[in-house]
Amino acid sequence: MSYEWFLARRYLQSRRGRTAVSVITAISTAGVALGVASLIIALSIVQGFSREIRSKIIGFGSHIQVAHYNPDEPIVEARALESALLRIDGIERMSPFIARQGLIHAGGNAVEGVQIKGIAPETDVSFLRRELHDGRFAFEADTSGRPGVVIGRTLADELGLSVGSDVTLFAYRGGGSPSTLSPPAIEPARIAGIYASGMAEFDGSQIYVDLPTARTLFGFGPSAVSGFELMLTDLNRADQVASAIDSTLGYPYRPITIFEQYHNLFSWVELQQSLIPIVLVLIVLVATFNLIGMLLMVVLEKTREVGILKAMGASRGGIARVFLAEGMVIGLVGTALGNGLALALCELQLRYRLLPLPADIYYMDRVPILIAPMNFIVVSLVTLGLCALATLVPSLVAGRIQPVRAIRFA
């Protein structure tokens, strides 16, 4: 063992015992560990938010919607439009839909405004099947001829509904608005399933029926739809595929990407991601200055010993390597502890959901976590690199100590 590593190990220990780590070393190591853990957890939360928001928003819709420029105007030639879309490269699958505003009545004065969406269960691209909280994803009529309806858990709680409950759907035809003179269409139905996505805005406003029921409610023709929902082979090519659809179909059809449809939500996620580098820089600076201060204190405390070593023939580089080794040991131990702490806290949140969130504000009911190995690797490498840089100043200061002055005045 070289004397540099031997002295570094001794300086990391307290004077009273070889096995007890000094308080100052423990504080510095804890500072590095907390900095590493904070970095990893912050990245995991932000990436978890981004993944959760994207998956849930896309889960309720599709990568691209193709509809009429006038949202109240149905697409009558649905089969011709479907054939034209199938010829466009990049589209993996598609499903027709009908979407209009309406009311759901649950008896008494329990009435709520909702968006009624008619889908084709056999081609539906949403994630409703995976998010069912109770009941079945089914729309067939019961023995009384009432079609099935799938609603969100938030809406079910507000109206006091459960699977099997009787409801009545109201829908205005024509312009889809109560301002029209035509009386509303009325459709008795029953609750077939209740979904729970964790996004209160959707769970409290979206209800689903099959296409025949939606056509009956809104007075659509036997093959008319509001549009088509498209899933792409690559979501990153959404803008390119939308441009191809626009140039191929032209007016009166309008393609809308998921990023355009929910621009505010995606902008919110991007804003969060843009703030993370600032937070990370501050955390790194705090940990770095903590390590520099600790090593400078050790240099001042060991000035007499350094002077004796230099008088005995130790080189300036050798003295510098003693404190460089000391800083790197603290960096390695702190990084390892920080990785372990971050992993443990992330696993606890994933398993026990210790940190809940108000779903009506954050679109999810708990803090999301995405454990990505690359976050651990990058943060560890950056931390070790900064620790190496942080030890340079104290190491150079120690190497410049004059042995005569150190021994005389220490």
Side-chain angles (χ1 to χ4, degrees), residues 85-158:
L85 289 171
L86 288 173
R87 292 193 292 269
I88 297 176
D89 184 46
I91 299 176
E92 183 179 18
R93 53 197 176 97
M94 69 178 69
S95 180
F97 73 94
I98 296 174
R100 291 283 182 87
Q101 298 299 316
L103 297 172
I104 181 171
H105 178 245
N109 296 323
V111 180
E112 193 71 36
V114 293
Q115 183 183 57
I116 302 174
K117 187 171 182 180
I119 59 175
E122 63 277 5
T123 60
D124 179 50
V125 299
S126 72
F127 66 169
L128 289 179
R129 287 183 176 85
R130 302 196 309 269
E131 301 295 326
L132 274 182
H133 173 69
D134 194 12
R136 298 188 306 125
F137 185 74
F139 304 97
E140 63 270 11
D142 60 10
T143 55
S144 301
R146 295 170 302 178
V149 178
V150 177
I151 67 174
R153 185 170 63 177
T154 302
L155 181 61
D157 293 341
E158 289 177 357

Side-chain angles (χ1 to χ4, degrees), residues 351-381:
R351 182 170 298 183
Y352 299 108
R353 300 187 176 189
L354 301 176
L355 301 176
L357 289 176
D360 55 338
I361 298 176
Y362 292 99
Y363 302 97
M364 57 196 73
D365 56 5
R366 82 272 187 259
V367 174
I369 296 290
L370 176 61
I371 300 179
M374 188 55 64
N375 289 341
F376 290 82
I377 295 173
V378 171
V379 170
S380 298
L381 292 177

Side-chain angles (χ1 to χ4, degrees), residues 61-406:
S62 57
H63 297 164
I64 297 178
Q65 274 191 6
V66 178
H68 201 283
Y69 264 91
N70 181 3
D72 295 325
E73 188 73 23
I75 297 175
V76 179
E77 299 296 332
R79 291 189 178 89
L81 177 60
E82 183 177 7
S83 300
L85 289 171
L86 288 173
R87 292 193 292 269
I88 297 176
D89 184 46
I91 299 176
E92 183 179 18
R93 53 197 176 97
M94 69 178 69
S95 180
F97 73 94
I98 296 174
R100 291 283 182 87
Q101 298 299 316
L103 297 172
I104 181 171
H105 178 245
N109 296 323
V111 180
E112 193 71 36
V114 293
Q115 183 183 57
I116 302 174
K117 187 171 182 180
I119 59 175
E122 63 277 5
T123 60
D124 179 50
V125 299
S126 72
F127 66 169
L128 289 179
R129 287 183 176 85
R130 302 196 309 269
E131 301 295 326
L132 274 182
H133 173 69
D134 194 12
R136 298 188 306 125
F137 185 74
F139 304 97
E140 63 270 11
D142 60 10
T143 55
S144 301
R146 295 170 302 178
V149 178
V150 177
I151 67 174
R153 185 170 63 177
T154 302
L155 181 61
D157 293 341
E158 289 177 357
L159 299 179
L161 298 173
S162 59
V163 173
S165 297
D166 295 331
V167 295
T168 305
L169 304 180
F170 296 85
Y172 287 91
R173 297 178 176 178
S177 168
S179 62
T180 60
L181 296 178
S182 59
I186 302 175
E187 182 72 30
R190 61 176 176 81
I191 304 300
I194 298 175
Y195 67 86
S197 70
M199 299 182 72
E201 181 176 338
F202 291 94
D203 292 357
S205 63
Q206 294 259 36
I207 71 172
Y208 294 84
V209 299
D210 59 2
L211 282 177
T213 302
R215 289 190 177 109
T216 301
L217 272 171
F218 300 116
F220 279 32
S223 62
V225 297
S226 294
F228 284 89
E229 294 183 317
L230 313 179
M231 299 300 289
L232 310 180
T233 55
D234 184 4
L235 178 58
N236 296 322
R237 295 186 59 235
D239 291 333
Q240 301 175 17
V241 176
S243 298
I245 294 172
D246 192 32
S247 60
T248 301
L249 301 180
Y251 185 84
Y253 304 115
R254 179 189 178 192
I256 307 173
T257 67
I258 190 72
F259 305 109
E260 295 172 328
Q261 189 175 4
Y262 298 102
H263 175 73
N264 292 337
L265 288 179
F266 284 108
S267 297
W268 174 55
V269 173
E270 291 176 1
L271 176 62
Q272 284 187 323
Q273 291 179 326
S274 65
L275 294 176
I276 284 300
I278 300 175
V279 177
L280 299 186
V281 168
L282 293 176
I283 295 175
V284 168
L285 286 177
V286 170
T288 302
F289 278 105
N290 174 57
L291 185 58
I292 292 175
M294 173 266 177
L295 289 177
L296 285 175
M297 291 179 65
V298 173
V299 170
L300 293 176
E301 183 185 1
K302 304 297 183 182
T303 300
R304 184 182 180 86
E305 288 86 344
V306 170
I308 295 173
L309 286 172
K310 297 196 74 174
M312 294 174 62
S315 65
R316 177 182 297 182
I319 298 297
R321 285 193 293 273
V322 171
F323 295 96
L324 182 64
E326 186 175 354
M328 290 307 300
V329 169
I330 293 174
L332 286 169
V333 175
T335 300
L337 292 176
N339 277 273
L341 178 62
L343 182 60
L345 293 176
C346 289
E347 287 290 349
L348 285 174
Q349 174 62 17
L350 287 175
R351 182 170 298 183
Y352 299 108
R353 300 187 176 189
L354 301 176
L355 301 176
L357 289 176
D360 55 338
I361 298 176
Y362 292 99
Y363 302 97
M364 57 196 73
D365 56 5
R366 82 272 187 259
V367 174
I369 296 290
L370 176 61
I371 300 179
M374 188 55 64
N375 289 341
F376 290 82
I377 295 173
V378 171
V379 170
S380 298
L381 292 177
V382 170
T383 301
L384 292 176
L386 289 173
C387 286
L389 292 176
T391 58
L392 290 179
V393 174
S395 300
L396 293 175
V397 170
R400 293 175 181 240
I401 292 177
Q402 298 296 324
V404 175
R405 289 184 178 181

